[in-house]
Amino acid sequence: MATHFEIDNSFIAEQNEKAHAWLEEDYEHLTKKLRRQNVDIEDLVKRAEAFRVAVPSWGVGTGGTRFARFPGTGEPRDIYEKLEDCGTIFKLVRSTPAVSLHIPWDKPDDATQLRDFASARGLSFDAMNSNTFQDQPGQEHSYKFGSLTHPDKATRDQAVAHNIDCIQIGQALGSKAHTVWIGDGGNFPGQQHFRRTLERYLESMREIYAALPNDWRMFIEHKFYEPAFYSTVINDWGTSYYCARELGPKAFCLVDLGHHAPNVNIEMIVARLIQFGKLAGFHFNDSKYGDDDLDSGSIKPFQLFLIFNELVEAELSHAPNFSPAYMLDQSHNVTDPIESLMMSGVELVRAHVQAHLVDRDALTEAQEKCDPLQALSILKQAFTTDVSPILAIARERSGGAIDPIDTYRASGYRQRKAEERPVRKGVAASGIV
Ligand code: RM4
Ligand code: MN
Ligand code: MN
């Protein structure tokens, strides 16, 4: 494989040198401030360093709307180039060592070669994602009217086989989870028999579940609309929870933040799934209206914090069956995807660290004493603390960039990729259009 441009560790160190003095100053100030609250800043730095979130392979390409896609320059043209970009993100922010693949968009010709390519960049593979929401060239049965729940058994079988194929590819790559999101649903009242489609879903999923290796988990992803605009088969967390229970102990419910109606109390859904021992993990993104796939923390940062508040509480209280997988699932239409993913990675660590700042004993006391104002102000105190110096120190100590976006821009990475990756006629980056 030809040598491709990479950001050098020495370049990162050089850039860090410029920002180091002010960072030390801010860190010192925050250390003192937190000490007054009896908080050990070093403990928070360790938590920031340990935080992990997977990057979606499809997120490094430019997304699009249903009207158009405006491709960016130097876009990755295949899975290897996608991994190069994921490796760059990881190098700079350090919290993103895993990649979540979408099959067949990322189907490898040689899984061992792909695995080696990834591990040479410190990357591993998180959950696999099947794709039965679009037809692939040469496919025998169409998914236009559904996949795992299609009325025609042969179409369902084809969709089941595709999911099993994903698991097998994932095994070769070292993945340990399989995410199933289907686009099945109806656009019009009467189009689908609600109970029958759910029965078919379960029947298909039981076959996929049976093919799951023992040390794997299956993630069920719900979504209340789109591409179906009237009804979807796995429309909400209740349906997802029912299916996960029906399927067995290896099945869990995945929460994609954008898959709920506006104003739904997602943190409470998270708490419920934790309580029932069925939280799979997340597809993090942000939204104003629907499945907008905007950058994490860009629209409702307080909601993100409240979700992490539940997660940290579960972690500290050792909730049983609690081992959430964190993944980003965003579509970048007007930004450089690498920058957006880096920023989102940072925002998640921020919310995680802020949630660790919540004074849990004081919160419990306020709850027991029926003091809502005090309870809210405890949360607000954590949420309004600027933990940026903690995040920057954590990145620097683990070899990343104090300012990932500045460093990325200064490196000229995108320009270099534009030269290395001329648009191949007829080859578009596969992904959401
Ligand atoms: C869906 C869902 C899936 C993602 C696809 C591309 O809305 O969020 O997780 O894989 O989009
Ligand atoms: Mn998703
Ligand atoms: Mn989505």
Side-chain angles (χ1 to χ4, degrees):
M1 199 150 300
T3 340
H4 289 180
F5 175 70
E6 273 182 38
I7 300 176
D8 244 31
N9 287 333
S10 60
F11 180 77
I12 298 174
E14 238 169 71
Q15 295 293 309
N16 282 353
E17 205 42 57
K18 294 184 199 162
H20 191 77
W22 69 254
L23 175 58
E24 285 283 295
E25 215 171 278
D26 290 357
Y27 188 71
E28 213 181 290
H29 174 74
L30 187 57
T31 307
K32 287 183 193 151
K33 184 176 147 60
L34 293 179
R35 200 178 293 143
R36 283 200 300 277
Q37 292 166 227
N38 277 328
V39 174
D40 175 12
I41 198 167
E42 285 296 322
D43 175 59
L44 294 176
V45 174
K46 282 192 199 95
R47 295 198 185 271
E49 280 183 71
F51 185 85
R52 296 280 175 262
V53 59
V55 162
S57 61
W58 59 99
V60 288
T62 312
T65 67
R66 65 199 175 91
F67 300 101
R69 192 176 90 89
F70 299 97
T73 51
E75 276 193 340
R77 298 163 301 176
D78 58 34
I79 181 58
Y80 288 96
E81 292 179 350
K82 287 182 191 177
L83 287 181
E84 268 187 358
D85 288 359
C86 295
T88 299
I89 294 167
F90 175 48
K91 208 169 212 182
L92 294 168
V93 301
R94 308 310 294 159
S95 51
T96 57
V99 183
S100 196
L101 294 189
H102 226 292
I103 305 295
W105 295 342
D106 305 319
K107 194 169 182 166
D109 291 333
D110 181 339
T112 317
Q113 194 192 338
L114 190 68
R115 196 177 176 166
D116 292 348
F117 186 86
S119 62
R121 283 155 186 79
L123 300 172
S124 59
F125 294 99
D126 207 301
M128 304 298 291
N129 298 265
S130 55
N131 179 343
T132 61
F133 49 84
Q134 63 181 182
D135 288 345
Q136 306 303 331
Q139 180 178 313
E140 201 179 340
H141 306 283
S142 172
Y143 296 136
K144 181 171 178 180
F145 291 106
S147 58
L148 293 177
T149 75
H150 197 285
D152 173 41
K153 174 90 167 77
T155 310
R156 297 202 296 277
D157 287 347
Q158 177 183 279
V160 167
H162 166 68
N163 276 276
I164 295 174
D165 199 28
C166 290
I167 295 171
Q168 278 159 3
I169 296 169
Q171 274 186 288
L173 293 173
S175 168
K176 290 278 177 231
H178 179 55
T179 303
V180 183
W181 173 72
I182 51 167
D184 297 30
N187 268 13
F188 298 99
Q191 184 182 334
Q192 292 200 330
H193 187 286
F194 294 152
R195 279 185 289 131
R196 207 178 296 138
T197 44
L198 189 59
E199 272 160 28
R200 286 186 194 131
Y201 175 80
L202 278 169
E203 189 187 291
S204 300
M205 286 292 270
R206 279 192 189 103
E207 287 183 50
I208 302 167
Y209 188 92
L212 210 62
N214 282 336
D215 57 343
W216 272 51
R217 294 189 292 165
M218 177 188 253
F219 299 162
I220 300 173
E221 183 175 358
H222 62 272
K223 179 171 180 175
F224 75 122
Y225 86 106
E226 198 200 25
F229 287 112
Y230 166 66
S231 64
T232 63
V233 181
I234 307 300
N235 58 308
D236 62 9
W237 75 275
T239 309
S240 172
Y241 175 67
Y242 169 77
C243 293
R245 277 198 61 160
E246 286 293 304
L247 289 168
K250 290 186 280 181
F252 295 84
C253 311
L254 184 131
V255 178
D256 182 316
L257 267 54
H259 291 192
H260 306 87
N263 300 329
V264 161
N265 189 337
I266 300 178
E267 58 273 24
M268 194 162 173
I269 294 173
V270 172
R272 292 285 188 260
L273 290 173
I274 291 170
Q275 188 159 6
F276 305 155
K278 281 292 189 189
L279 179 69
F282 293 85
H283 274 180
F284 285 112
N285 49 47
D286 213 337
S287 84
K288 179 84 179 154
Y289 303 106
D291 192 24
D292 308 344
D293 279 340
L294 296 173
D295 298 7
S296 297
S298 60
I299 307 284
K300 290 174 280 192
F302 190 48
Q303 179 188 63
L304 187 63
F305 163 79
L306 292 173
I307 290 169
F308 272 96
N309 179 45
E310 297 303 326
L311 295 168
V312 166
E313 204 277 332
E315 176 195 328
L316 296 176
S317 61
H318 305 288
N321 247 348
F322 179 73
S323 175
Y326 296 153
M327 291 164 278
L328 289 164
D329 181 7
Q330 304 181 164
S331 177
H332 312 106
N333 309 338
V334 295
T335 55
D336 180 323
I338 291 183
E339 294 187 7
S340 273
L341 288 165
M342 289 198 296
M343 199 178 234
S344 293
V346 170
E347 288 315 296
L348 294 181
V349 194
R350 184 190 307 284
H352 178 72
V353 169
Q354 285 177 324
H356 268 288
L357 264 178
V358 172
D359 184 339
R360 305 230 160 246
D361 293 338
L363 183 60
T364 306
E365 197 185 322
Q367 288 167 347
E368 295 306 310
K369 287 189 173 157
C370 303
D371 189 345
L373 195 92
Q374 181 65 6
L376 175 63
S377 65
I378 288 163
L379 293 183
K380 279 292 183 74
Q381 188 183 19
F383 176 65
T384 54
T385 304
D386 182 6
V387 298
S388 304
I390 296 176
L391 312 186
I393 286 279
R395 281 193 300 274
E396 191 189 24
R397 286 189 192 167
S398 41
I402 291 178
D403 189 328
I405 295 187
D406 267 10
T407 305
Y408 168 75
R409 289 189 176 187
S411 76
Y413 182 90
R414 183 59 72 189
Q415 291 82 337
R416 293 293 295 269
K417 292 299 149 186
E419 288 157 23
E420 284 174 17
R421 303 170 178 171
V423 179
R424 285 185 200 134
K425 273 250 164 334
V427 180
S430 47
I432 320 151
V433 176

